[in-house]
Amino acid sequence: MTSVPSRRTTVAVIGAGHSGLAVSHRLGAEGIDHVVLERGQVAHSWRTQRWDSLRLLTPGWMNRLPGLGDPLLGPAEADEFLTAAQVASLVAGYADVIAAPVHENVEVHRVSPGPNGYLVETSAGPWSAEHVVLATGSVRGVLPALAAELPPGLPSVHAIDYRRPSQLPPGGVLVVGAAASGVQIAAELQASGRQVTLAVGEHVRVPRRYRGRDIFAWIEEAGILDERWDELDDITRARRLSSFQLVGGTTTLDLNTLQEAGVRVVGKLAGLRDGAALFSGSLANMAALADLKANRLLSGIDQTFGGSGERLEPTRVPEPLLSLSLTSGEIGSVVWATGIKPDHAFLDADVFDRKGAIRHDGGVTDLPGLYVTGLPVLRRRRSTYIDGARDDSADLVAHLSQRLASPTRRTAG
Amino acid sequence: MTETTVDNGVNVEALLGARAALQETPEAAKFTWRATNTWVKGTHSKSKVEGFFGLGEEQEAGRSFESDGDHPPQFAADNQGPTPVETVLVALGGCLTAGVAAVAQQRGIQLNSVTATIEGDHDIRGILGADADVRNGFTGVRVNYSIDADASPEDIEALVAQSQKRSAVFDILTNPTAVSVSVS
């Protein structure tokens, strides 16, 4: 681009999900001029990248958003778990309530440092923005390298594109990954009458309810959600940790309940060779690690609040199955529940680490005026959830306002 | 604090320092381990371990270890050393126990004694070619630890679990590895 775009804004927020809208609300409250650019409709990923039966892992009281009154949320203790469609309605309603300046159906093609901050090139033409807040969330399915080696003709789908059992061809299903999405999809497919084989690596087990309350009520009161990113022992690990094995509701979903439903549990998918999936022999240890960690969490709750509750039944580890033919007809499809990550490919700036992830310190990148939000454990453990947008947006907008107030800001970008 | 008095003989600070440094210089983290093996007679061979490549260069200083491999008389052999499959069990035990010590040091747990028994179940019809449906290798491996440490039973279990999670030999045995053998 040779000319400076005629459209200028102080802040371009990219992404109109709950994180970007919370930032918009804070900017509005500070009287800071901004736009929110959205590739589709508000809450795009909640409309297009979730399966039909999905409910939030987190109870209704964790849907707090800044500037959104309680009536939309229900009572604070309500253990109600919204469906993806309800989350989309909540976020769309939120955009209306706060009157966010959202430009829908505007795809951002490129963001690069420019003369007055940043040049934001979009499907609707360029913007010049002094600051950019990336709030695009985790929108890309992570596939392991060996996904490319599946036998030709074997259908596979990432959890981000999975909708319902009828989408898959008849036959058994290999579900790879046992975080929240993997265990939920495995349960749904098994209930639909298919034989599911679930490949399990490192995972995080927690009971849905403990001592008569939802687990998040305990985690909240114990202060765990407010543990800061810069005070955690190993922030890289905390950010990479897979999601809790949980399903919205009151029932526990874990490897034991899945096995009771008929799901076959095997070790981590470790390789594909001669048309067969090879599973790691480490399942017993993965289960032991998860059991120990879950019981440490429960012991910690007891120590903090007094009293005691029941410990989890140890994960039942079946006779090892180390190999499974993917060409015999037993397996009709594969579901990759192997995680999601952000897609910042449109960002043309030197802010990526060796592994291609954006470098940031609690959402503040190395480039003055460039922020990122809506990522796991961004500034606190709560950042992983919708409920994290409240405090994260307050912190980032405070940082941004301070920079605006500084007389040197125009030369800093 | 117990942390200051715990001494399992592991320099955790050096290991953590190396971890931090290697995150910045991943090339230096690429090691190649090496052994040579020379046939003696029958099923008896001698293996030697000296240098290795790591931290960006050949590392050779003052290192030379020899070991024998053979088979017992039940295999009509001369019994000059452990069988190679027993050496695999030795490697697993050595790796896991080193991990137990390192993790204990990092977690401030004083170890008093650590003993492991490592067993590999093996249907030798595979290696004898007596039944094509039987694999050559172990059908299963069991490890049992007896640990006396200044810690709760749960903490000791967690030590052993974490050691497996970070063990090279445990990974080598539980996951497939591509092996290429050439002749020169």
Side-chain angles (χ1 to χ4, degrees):
Chain A
M1 301 296 295
T2 48
S3 62
V4 175
S6 56
R7 285 186 302 183
R8 297 182 179 206
T9 182
T10 307
V11 185
V13 179
I14 302 177
H18 59 273
S19 297
L21 292 171
V23 168
S24 171
H25 169 70
R26 302 286 189 197
L27 291 170
E30 295 286 321
I32 300 172
D33 150 67
H34 67 283
V35 293
V36 182
L37 305 177
E38 167 56 52
R39 62 177 165 152
Q41 283 179 278
V42 169
H44 186 73
S45 356
W46 287 102
R47 300 173 197 274
T48 60
Q49 295 189 317
R50 304 289 185 269
W51 61 92
D52 296 348
S53 69
L54 176 84
R55 286 180 182 275
L56 289 182
L57 297 184
T58 43
W61 60 265
M62 283 183 71
N63 298 336
R64 294 171 287 197
L65 288 165
L68 190 61
D70 282 343
L72 265 170
L73 300 175
E77 273 291 318
D79 287 346
E80 189 195 349
F81 299 84
L82 298 190
T83 63
Q86 287 171 320
V87 175
S89 299
L90 171 71
V91 175
Y94 178 52
D96 288 343
V97 167
I98 63 172
V102 179
H103 295 240
E104 287 188 322
N105 302 306
V106 173
E107 184 125 16
V108 172
H109 295 149
R110 184 164 174 260
V111 171
S112 53
N116 291 314
Y118 296 88
L119 176 64
V120 181
E121 293 164 70
T122 79
S123 56
W127 289 80
S128 171
E130 270 187 64
H131 307 75
V132 170
V133 179
L134 306 168
T136 48
S138 296
V139 293
R140 200 149 49 110
V142 177
L143 282 177
L146 53 74
E149 299 163 31
L150 277 186
L154 180 65
S156 66
V157 64
H158 192 278
I160 213 162
D161 298 314
Y162 169 80
R163 293 294 168 272
R164 61 194 73 89
S166 63
Q167 171 191 4
L168 300 180
V173 185
L174 171 62
V175 177
V176 182
S181 55
V183 296
Q184 290 181 31
I185 291 170
E188 172 168 290
L189 289 169
Q190 185 74 29
S192 79
R194 290 147 202 272
Q195 176 60 54
V196 171
T197 304
L198 179 65
V200 180
E202 193 176 2
H203 57 277
V204 186
R205 183 188 186 197
V206 289
R208 181 73 260 183
R209 297 183 72 79
Y210 182 60
R211 293 169 57 180
R213 303 177 74 199
D214 187 79
I215 192 69
F216 275 106
W218 292 108
I219 291 174
E220 166 78 342
E221 281 177 36
I224 293 170
L225 293 173
D226 289 318
E227 289 172 6
R228 290 169 55 99
W229 90 101
D230 52 0
E231 290 171 1
L232 290 172
D233 276 348
D234 188 343
I235 182 62
T236 308
R237 175 171 159 72
R239 285 178 175 157
R240 284 180 54 88
L241 211 58
S242 59
S243 57
F244 290 153
Q245 274 180 348
L246 280 178
V247 60
T250 53
T251 56
T252 287
L253 177 60
D254 60 21
L255 299 182
N256 285 347
T257 62
L258 284 170
Q259 288 182 86
E260 283 158 20
V263 170
R264 179 166 58 179
V265 171
V266 298
K268 179 178 177 160
L269 179 61
L272 293 165
R273 189 186 291 164
D274 301 333
L278 305 180
F279 304 114
S280 176
S282 64
L283 177 61
N285 190 49
M286 292 294 125
L289 280 163
D291 290 355
L292 285 161
K293 190 178 170 87
N295 283 328
R296 274 201 301 276
L297 172 69
L298 302 184
S299 298
I301 288 169
D302 292 348
Q303 276 163 21
T304 305
F305 298 102
S308 66
E310 278 185 39
R311 289 296 163 265
L312 297 175
E313 185 204 345
T315 299
R316 291 191 291 279
V317 179
E319 279 298 306
L321 176 76
L322 299 176
S323 169
L324 175 65
S325 171
L326 298 179
T327 53
S328 68
E330 183 185 349
I331 296 296
S333 58
V334 175
V335 176
W336 299 106
T338 38
I340 51 175
K341 64 178 176 186
D343 185 354
H344 293 135
F346 59 82
L347 183 58
D348 185 5
D350 180 22
V351 286
F352 295 102
D353 68 17
R354 215 173 276 282
K355 301 183 88 174
I358 197 162
R359 270 194 317 265
H360 68 91
D361 185 14
V364 181
T365 75
D366 304 344
L367 282 185
L370 181 67
Y371 300 87
V372 61
T373 189
L375 299 181
V377 203
L378 184 87
R379 297 186 65 84
R380 45 186 59 83
R381 289 197 192 271
R382 194 186 305 278
S383 306
T384 304
Y385 308 101
I386 290 175
D387 202 38
R390 248 180 341 148
D391 293 341
D392 292 352
S393 60
D395 293 347
L396 292 180
V397 171
H399 188 283
L400 194 153
S401 319
Q402 210 164 18
R403 181 164 182 274
L404 267 178
S406 147
T408 58
R409 69 187 161 102
R410 287 195 180 277
T411 55
Chain B
M1 294 294 290
T2 52
E3 309 254 344
T4 54
T5 58
V6 167
D7 182 7
N8 297 320
V10 179
N11 188 342
V12 166
E13 288 72 23
L15 293 176
L16 291 176
R19 183 173 93 156
L22 292 176
Q23 278 170 341
E24 299 306 313
T25 54
E27 280 309 308
K30 291 184 176 153
F31 278 56
T32 299
W33 303 102
R34 198 179 290 135
T36 57
N37 177 272
T38 306
W39 177 60
V40 180
K41 182 189 173 209
T43 60
H44 179 205
S45 65
K46 280 187 181 292
S47 291
K48 194 185 228 181
V49 163
E50 290 178 308
F52 58 92
F53 180 89
L55 305 176
E57 59 188 355
E58 284 297 324
Q59 307 280 348
E60 298 191 354
R63 229 177 148 262
S64 182
F65 305 106
E66 281 194 355
S67 58
D68 290 274
D70 200 356
H71 288 76
Q74 291 78 357
F75 286 73
D78 285 346
N79 206 25
Q80 297 298 302
T83 63
V85 291
E86 288 166 317
T87 304
V88 170
L89 301 181
V90 168
L92 178 62
C95 194
L96 289 176
T97 300
V100 166
V103 177
Q105 185 71 40
Q106 194 187 354
R107 294 185 178 179
I109 295 173
Q110 180 63 53
L111 298 173
N112 301 316
S113 72
V114 179
T115 314
T117 305
I118 309 106
E119 294 180 298
D121 296 331
H122 195 190
D123 185 338
I124 66 164
R125 285 178 300 171
I127 54 172
L128 294 174
D131 186 334
D133 293 330
V134 176
R135 71 179 284 186
N136 295 338
F138 292 132
T139 50
V141 173
R142 287 180 306 280
V143 183
N144 179 261
Y145 267 96
S146 224
I147 296 179
D148 175 18
D150 302 339
S152 70
E154 292 76 23
D155 287 346
I156 291 173
E157 276 183 49
L159 280 185
V160 175
Q162 183 66 20
S163 170
Q164 290 168 74
K165 188 180 156 186
R166 286 277 167 260
S167 163
V169 179
F170 183 88
D171 175 83
I172 288 165
L173 281 174
T174 54
N175 296 312
T177 304
V179 179
S180 65
V181 180
S182 59
V183 178
S184 56

